[in-house]
Amino acid sequence: FNTHDDTQKIIEKYKGSNVDIHTFNQSQYPRLVVDDYLPLPSKGRTDKDGWYPPGHGDVFPSLKNSGKLDALIAQGKEYVSVANSDNLGAVVDLQILNHLIRNKNEYCMEVTPKTLADVKGGTLISYEGKVQLLEIAQVP
């Protein structure tokens, strides 16, 4: 929701190309006021600053909830590669894709050690016996 309008402007220049670009909005959740833990929108803050994006873990439910997942499946698509727009080095590596297909892996995620320069994003945690991504936006 924070970058939707800017994204639409950028992809407009690809309208005449033979590339299909699919977009969808991820969820948004109300920011809480630290004093009383009430949501900012309930106090009249309905602008973008009253909300936060839940982060990477919300990509999959949002893909489904937006209807894009059903549309891609209806087109015969079987795989999705997701990369942040600021990851300029992101590429689709067919060796990795072929490995996932051969081994019938349902999910694969690149994980690298954090450095002192990694001040945003999330970290892997073990929660209720499962590995999950905890986003900085999810905690105070």
Side-chain angles (χ1 to χ4, degrees), residues 24-40:
F24 61 93
N25 281 330
Q26 287 185 246
S27 302
Q28 62 186 47
Y29 294 95
R31 291 188 189 276
L32 301 179
V33 179
V34 71
D35 299 334
D36 55 14
Y37 299 109
L38 290 175
L40 273 175

Side-chain angles (χ1 to χ4, degrees), residues 24 28-29 36 40 43-44 47-48 61 73 81-82 86 91-93 97 99 104 120 122 125 132 136 138:
F24 61 93
Q28 62 186 47
Y29 294 95
D36 55 14
L40 273 175
K43 296 182 174 216
D47 60 339
K48 286 183 180 179
I73 290 171
S81 176
V82 178
D86 60 355
V91 296
V92 176
D93 186 330
L97 177 59
H99 173 81
K104 297 184 177 157
K120 65 175 193 158
I125 62 168
Q132 296 185 12
I136 196 162
Q138 294 174 293

Side-chain angles (χ1 to χ4, degrees), residues 80-99:
V80 172
S81 176
V82 178
N84 286 2
S85 60
D86 60 355
N87 186 350
L88 301 178
V91 296
V92 176
D93 186 330
L94 293 180
Q95 289 182 33
I96 294 172
L97 177 59
N98 288 328
H99 173 81

Side-chain angles (χ1 to χ4, degrees), residues 108-122:
C108 176
M109 180 172 79
E110 177 188 34
V111 179
T112 60
K114 283 211 172 255
T115 69
L116 293 175
D118 294 318
V119 295
K120 65 175 193 158

Side-chain angles (χ1 to χ4, degrees), residues 2-44:
N2 279 327
T3 59
H4 178 75
D5 293 341
D6 292 335
T7 301
Q8 294 301 87
K9 287 177 192 171
I10 291 169
I11 64 172
E12 183 70 23
K13 68 181 179 180
Y14 297 100
K15 192 159 73 171
S17 72
N18 64 352
V19 175
D20 290 331
I21 299 174
H22 300 269
T23 64
F24 61 93
N25 281 330
Q26 287 185 246
S27 302
Q28 62 186 47
Y29 294 95
R31 291 188 189 276
L32 301 179
V33 179
V34 71
D35 299 334
D36 55 14
Y37 299 109
L38 290 175
L40 273 175
S42 71
K43 296 182 174 216

